[in-house]
Amino acid sequence: MTGRSTVRQGRAGRPRPAERLGLWKVPLIAGESTGSFARRLAALNGIPDRDFWLMFGRSVRPGREPSEPRYGDGYLNTAALERLSVMCGRSVGELQFALPNTRPHRLLKGAGPPAWDWPWDTPGCFLVRGCELCARVQGTTDQVYLAVDASWQVCARHGRWLDNRREPGAGTIRLAGLPEVVHAERKRRVLERRLGPGGRAMFADAYAITSCWWNVPVFNPAVWQARRRLLGAAGRDELRVAPLLFYPEAVALAYELASRERRRQRRTLSPGQDSAWLAGLATLMDAWGMPAPALDVVGAWLERHTLLPQPRSRAAREQAGRERPARGRYRRLPLPAPHKVTSQDAVLAERSCLPWKLGELVTNRLQPAPRGWYLGGRA
């Protein structure tokens, strides 16, 4: 039995209770899209995608059918997620831990019978092809697609740069010649895991600042072009490889921003110390090979993260004492204003407090990036 009986309708048009599929032991892959996981589960049981999604319930848009997981993803309501849980022999908690688009804030709104949707867009995520070596370790030879917060992903375990470029032969990019990119990925994970929301915000801001530097060729350090040459043919596609080329500097900058932000929130950063911090950052950028005017971009971030005044009243001091982050480089860092809690589940570019994105210009007085491309939409 393959569980096809779950398609049948009971009395009053209600779907029959979900049943575990005959072949249900499909390994969970961290970050996988719902559509990719469902396709693997359906293929194992010999069920066409269209019939398989009908097992979850009705489509909220009549006539809409599931498509190729590399181009879109399916979204479930609570009742449909519970059906998937039964069908694959996994708890709802296990599914939500592994599959980002089944988490509470991504479920279809409203209570009711099992239902699903496959929109044209993928709100809150990009779809990126998974690492083929990771998939093989998990016992699958199918192409896996991940639902991630950027148009790219780094597999630190196997040294792969992942994206979803659709040109013939555009597979993953090997990073054997760029170990600093893999090292940066591990450092970023440490930063975000230990600092929490504040760490995620600081990387988003650092990524925005570094993106702006990339947008203006005169700000590009020589090391970025050196990395590009090491990528060979893949390096010719600057739209694709831009985040890869500046990733190490973006992560290093995120650590610098986080260090200042902790002292700012603790209200222990004086104007003189802030100037010293900026001078230290200028020295670091000089070591990277960036011209002095590139530091002006950091000024836009400083305007949004100004020094906090010392509280005057006793009540204000007590309140500040309760809210200030603990000392320590890897202690939790609260989400700072002007960042908003609602933005933390958005894609990377939308989590930053800075207004520009990769491929956009800050001012029309600067020379634009090559061909004026803009990295937007969903990969």
Side-chain angles (χ1 to χ4, degrees):
M1 293 292 293
T2 63
R4 288 173 184 265
S5 58
T6 54
V7 180
R8 299 172 186 169
Q9 301 293 309
R11 293 181 180 180
R14 295 178 181 176
R16 294 182 58 179
E19 301 172 6
R20 181 174 294 183
L21 294 170
L23 300 173
W24 55 272
K25 291 186 177 180
V26 174
L28 293 173
I29 296 177
E32 189 174 10
S33 72
T34 310
S36 177
F37 175 75
R39 185 184 62 173
R40 292 195 294 121
L41 186 58
L44 184 64
N45 287 273
I47 306 173
D49 276 354
R50 182 179 181 278
D51 293 343
F52 192 78
W53 278 82
L54 290 176
M55 294 181 179
F56 298 145
R58 62 177 179 83
S59 170
V60 299
R61 282 183 269 192
R64 182 62 58 86
E65 295 184 358
S67 66
E68 170 63 37
R70 71 184 300 183
Y71 300 119
D73 198 19
Y75 294 80
L76 310 174
N77 68 358
T78 299
L81 176 59
E82 291 171 352
R83 293 183 70 82
L84 175 60
S85 171
V86 173
M87 291 162 62
C88 69
R90 302 278 188 173
S91 70
V92 169
E94 287 178 298
L95 291 176
Q96 291 183 325
F97 183 79
L99 312 179
N101 285 341
T102 64
R103 291 169 189 167
H105 64 282
R106 299 275 174 84
L107 294 177
L108 300 181
K109 304 301 181 185
W116 57 273
D117 188 23
W118 196 291
W120 296 114
D121 199 2
T122 53
C125 74
F126 288 85
L127 297 173
V128 170
R129 66 168 59 84
C131 173
E132 65 275 15
L133 298 181
C134 287
R136 199 175 303 161
V137 168
Q138 292 293 341
T140 181
T141 57
D142 293 332
Q143 179 65 69
V144 170
Y145 290 91
L146 310 177
V148 297
D149 64 357
S151 61
W152 49 266
Q153 184 86 334
V154 179
C155 174
R157 182 178 185 181
H158 297 113
R160 296 288 192 277
W161 182 268
L162 316 172
D163 57 19
N164 196 9
R165 294 311 291 260
R166 298 171 183 138
E167 293 81 359
T172 59
I173 298 177
R174 297 186 179 185
L175 299 174
L178 298 173
E180 65 268 31
V181 175
V182 176
H183 180 63
E185 169 67 8
R186 295 194 175 106
K187 289 192 64 178
R188 177 199 173 185
R189 290 181 184 178
V190 170
L191 179 79
E192 296 189 347
R193 182 176 68 250
R194 296 186 177 178
L195 270 61
R200 285 166 55 85
M202 292 303 98
F203 176 73
D205 287 347
Y207 185 83
I209 291 171
T210 320
S211 296
C212 182
W213 291 337
W214 171 269
N215 294 346
V216 185
V218 71
F219 290 167
N220 289 193
V223 67
W224 292 356
Q225 297 308 318
R227 289 174 189 150
R228 186 178 178 183
R229 288 190 291 272
L230 287 173
L231 293 177
R236 301 192 191 107
D237 188 346
E238 58 197 16
L239 173 60
R240 181 186 188 191
V241 302
L244 185 165
L245 300 179
F246 64 63
Y247 192 49
E249 285 71 37
V251 173
L253 179 61
Y255 273 82
E256 296 297 323
L257 300 185
S259 173
R260 179 189 183 273
E261 183 58 34
R262 184 179 301 280
R263 297 171 66 190
R264 185 185 79 94
Q265 290 190 37
R266 288 183 57 82
R267 301 172 192 261
T268 59
L269 187 63
S270 68
Q273 292 170 331
D274 200 26
S275 297
W277 174 86
L278 190 60
L281 182 58
T283 301
L284 179 61
M285 290 169 55
D286 182 63
W288 292 341
M290 303 188 70
L295 192 63
D296 294 342
V297 181
V298 180
W301 181 82
L302 292 172
E303 291 175 359
R304 291 165 172 79
H305 293 256
T306 56
L307 298 183
L308 298 174
Q310 292 296 332
R312 295 181 178 275
S313 68
R314 178 178 178 180
R317 287 195 296 271
E318 291 176 351
Q319 178 70 15
R322 289 190 295 269
E323 293 178 350
R324 70 179 185 177
R327 286 193 180 93
R329 186 180 185 187
Y330 291 123
R331 301 290 183 90
R332 305 295 281 185
L333 182 65
L335 187 68
H339 293 266
K340 300 177 181 179
V341 174
T342 54
S343 69
Q344 291 306 289
D345 291 322
V347 294
L348 174 61
E350 295 170 2
R351 291 206 303 267
S352 174
C353 69
L354 297 169
W356 61 81
K357 298 178 177 63
L358 184 60
E360 289 183 339
L361 292 178
V362 183
T363 170
N364 56 15
R365 291 180 298 174
L366 296 175
Q367 197 66 26
R371 296 196 301 276
W373 53 259
Y374 165 60
L375 186 61
R378 298 289 181 267

